Amino acid sequence: MLTPKSSRPTPERLLDAAETLMRTIGLANTTTKAIAREAGCSEAALYKHYANKEELFVRVLMERTPNAGPLMAELAGDHDERSVEEALTEIARHASLFYADAMPMAASLFAEPALLTRHREGVQEIGTGPHVVRDALTGRLRRELERGRLRPGADPEAAAELLLGACFQRAFFLHFSGPEVVRPVEEFAPSVARTLWAAIR
């Protein structure tokens, strides 16, 4: 049974409102005033629960984007019972779907340099940013290197950038050119993982 909007806790109502606006009008057009109005509370109430709009954006990405949780779990995990290639396949699958979901919300920022600068500073203020995914995958691959599961001399950071860069590019092509120019994620993820693994195993 759905909880009536008015009876939901204020932080949840604000997160709901932020998600609705960010998905419909984009991050650049979503203001704290509009989020508060959509949530049925004051802008002052918003700042009692969230540091800034950027924190709400990060929370929407990490809590309301279906593949964010599984992606971060894969990046943090150490699944010795699986091969590294199998783990990379799952990471590529979740990253591809995560970027595809996140890109439309964030894309409007890049049309306004001043707004992009404010967003970057706001994200830095709360100690996060898109690089955390790359850093987490780099850490995961460094642990595999220490276990001797990657070839000596393999570069974990470059490997992370190659895998995630391919996933991000797929999301860009998906939105810009349409689904007909990208492979289904079920085909794309294992192919990218297999190719990367061939270079670092």
Side-chain angles (χ1 to χ4, degrees):
M1 181 177 176
L2 292 175
T3 305
K5 182 177 177 179
S6 59
S7 66
R8 284 168 63 74
T10 301
E12 285 299 307
R13 294 205 325 269
L14 287 163
L15 203 54
D16 291 342
E19 180 182 16
T20 297
L21 293 171
M22 288 172 186
R23 290 191 185 280
T24 54
I25 64 174
L27 184 57
N29 296 313
T30 299
T31 63
T32 52
K33 185 176 292 186
I35 293 169
R37 186 170 56 247
E38 176 76 15
C41 65
S42 68
E43 196 172 3
L46 182 151
Y47 284 109
K48 287 180 182 176
H49 299 285
Y50 299 102
N52 50 34
K53 182 178 79 171
E54 289 70 34
E55 183 183 358
L56 277 161
F57 175 59
V58 171
R59 293 281 299 272
V60 167
L61 279 185
M62 302 313 295
E63 297 175 23
R64 303 297 179 88
T65 302
N67 285 276
L71 172 60
M72 297 311 291
E74 285 288 345
L75 293 172
D78 289 308
H79 303 286
D80 288 336
E81 71 279 6
R82 296 186 316 180
S83 70
V84 178
E85 183 181 341
E86 288 171 328
L88 290 173
T89 297
E90 282 304 293
I91 290 167
R93 185 169 69 83
H94 290 304
S96 297
L97 296 171
F98 171 72
Y99 287 137
D101 202 24
M103 190 173 288
M105 284 191 282
S108 57
L109 279 176
F110 293 90
E112 300 182 41
L115 186 59
L116 178 59
T117 298
R118 286 201 303 274
H119 179 76
R120 183 186 301 117
E121 291 168 352
V123 168
Q124 289 171 347
E125 183 182 320
I126 60 173
T128 189
H131 62 280
V132 299
V133 177
R134 181 207 59 198
D135 294 349
L137 180 52
T138 299
R140 172 76 191 267
L141 290 171
R142 282 198 179 117
R143 294 193 295 276
E144 300 293 6
L145 180 62
E146 289 163 4
R147 292 190 183 104
R149 298 175 78 182
L150 307 187
R151 67 168 176 78
D155 185 333
E157 186 171 4
E161 290 167 342
L162 286 167
L163 183 72
L164 296 174
C167 296
F168 190 85
Q169 183 189 63
R170 181 188 180 278
F172 175 73
F173 287 165
L174 175 68
H175 289 294
F176 192 89
S177 301
E180 64 277 2
V181 305
V182 297
R183 287 183 286 172
V185 73
E186 295 79 8
E187 178 186 336
F188 169 84
S191 178
V192 168
R194 183 170 57 251
T195 302
L196 178 64
W197 179 235
I200 63 174
R201 66 186 175 192

